[in-house]
Amino acid sequence: MTATTAAATQAYDTFIEICRERKTSRAFDPSAPIPKEHFDLILEAARHGPSGANAQPWHYIIVTDPDKKQAVADYFVAEATSRAKLKMKFPTPNYRGLATAPGLIIVVADFRYIKAFPILNDGSDLDAMYKENAQRILLQSVAASTMSAHLAAAALGYGVWWVTAIGQEQAQNALKPLFDVPDDLSVIDIMVFGKPLKAPYKRWKKNLDQIRSWGVYNRDIYMTQEDIDTWIKEERHKVMYRDESKID
Ligand SMILES: Cc1cc2nc3c(=O)[nH]c(=O)nc-3n(C[C@H](O)[C@H](O)[C@H](O)COP(=O)(O)O)c2cc1C
């Protein structure tokens, strides 16, 4: 085993602290604007993300117009209301914080790059299988870049909020015109950040033993579909909106 140098230990300690301290906030102080250069520092991290075929199928639009932030918030509030009516039973957060968030970045994905990954493109069943995988590669690539941006924002001391553009087709139709996103691109996420209005809390995280196996999958911790259904019913609402120290 190679010895860990003091510099590496220090770098890891700094890094893991940023990972631990990255916490979701959903309401931000509108009177604490983000300096322009911080947007660049954050997107500089996004720029270095890994991606399938090194396609870098992402683009980031920094939202500067308060009316557009309001329009994004209005869309999400309306979407959450209609989902509540559909009785999806998903514990929905308050999306009004989007309107006053000082940092709001629209994450755009370019799905045309799925052609950069192994696909046949002949319309066959096999092609469909490879295309599905190619879409996953693309999604994971954009998420990898976005995650770097979130960590950079956390490193700068901001609270962060990862909002997925739910509602798909409807969301695209509502959000793309606001930011003149070309037809063939997709709004996939919204990255929100700023000085939290209240101190963010640490949410429950699985421990290492729950997420790691050595050699082969540890079946002792395997969850059946039934276990997961129970978790959704009994635990999900707690882990989403409660400090981990307050979960019984
Ligand atoms: C892919 C992804 C999608 C998410 N979508 C939403 C969302 O649409 N709305 C929201 O309020 N939070 C969203 N979140 C934030 C999660 O709820 C949050 O990360 C989770 O509860 C864990 O809390 P933490 O970020 O403080 O560790 C999303 C996070 C990820 C990674």
Side-chain angles (χ1 to χ4, degrees):
M1 203 175 87
T2 50
T4 310
T5 62
T9 304
Q10 204 182 9
Y12 177 80
D13 287 349
T14 305
F15 175 70
I16 199 70
E17 193 56 17
I18 295 163
C19 294
R20 283 199 190 105
E21 288 305 308
R22 182 214 52 79
K23 293 177 194 147
T24 295
S25 288
R26 293 190 173 91
F28 303 90
D29 183 352
S31 68
I34 314 287
K36 217 171 166 201
E37 60 271 22
H38 280 193
F39 285 101
D40 281 352
L41 293 177
I42 288 166
L43 294 181
E44 174 65 10
R47 193 169 80 77
H48 289 282
S51 58
N54 200 14
Q56 304 169 49
W58 48 67
H59 186 84
Y60 296 92
I61 302 173
I62 298 161
V63 181
T64 49
D65 179 348
D67 290 344
K68 293 195 177 179
K69 289 183 184 176
Q70 185 65 56
V72 171
D74 289 346
Y75 169 77
F76 275 91
V77 170
E79 160 71 21
T81 311
S82 62
R83 272 196 295 154
K85 282 192 195 129
L86 290 172
K87 300 204 177 359
M88 278 189 195
K89 293 190 181 153
F90 187 80
T92 301
N94 184 351
Y95 282 107
R96 298 209 181 276
L98 290 167
T100 48
L104 204 141
I105 299 177
I106 304 294
V107 183
V108 176
D110 191 339
F111 279 90
R112 292 172 302 175
Y113 277 98
I114 65 166
K115 281 192 175 165
F117 311 135
I119 53 170
L120 291 163
N121 232 8
D122 61 2
S124 63
D125 285 353
L126 200 58
D127 182 43
M129 186 184 88
Y130 278 108
K131 270 210 174 110
E132 196 180 311
N133 191 47
Q135 272 168 3
R136 285 187 193 155
I137 298 171
L138 195 129
L139 281 173
Q140 293 191 67
S141 301
V142 180
S145 167
T146 304
M147 187 62 205
S148 294
H150 278 247
L151 289 175
L156 290 167
Y158 295 119
V160 291
W161 186 9
W162 185 314
V163 178
T164 38
I166 38 175
Q168 297 326 318
E169 175 118 35
Q170 216 188 338
Q172 300 303 314
N173 296 340
L175 300 174
K176 276 165 63 168
L178 285 173
F179 305 103
D180 199 21
V181 176
D183 279 349
D184 29 24
L185 305 185
S186 310
V187 172
I188 194 156
D189 276 325
I190 301 176
M191 175 184 176
V192 193
F193 60 100
K195 182 179 168 203
L197 261 189
K198 0 176 229 198
Y201 52 85
K202 182 72 187 174
R203 289 172 182 81
W204 167 80
K205 298 291 169 190
K206 291 179 179 175
N207 63 38
L208 265 187
D209 289 334
Q210 289 172 293
I211 65 160
R212 157 281 267 118
S213 301
W214 292 98
V216 292
Y217 195 98
N218 177 4
R219 297 262 172 177
D220 294 344
I221 53 166
Y222 171 76
M223 284 175 79
T224 62
Q225 183 64 57
E226 206 184 333
D227 292 335
I228 292 174
D229 291 347
T230 307
W231 182 87
I232 293 170
K233 208 163 138 211
E234 294 174 6
E235 304 296 327
R236 182 180 64 179
H237 59 287
K238 298 184 207 163
V239 306
M240 285 178 75
Y241 301 117
R242 218 181 275 179
D243 190 312
E244 67 178 345
S245 65
K246 294 191 184 127
I247 296 174
D248 34 77

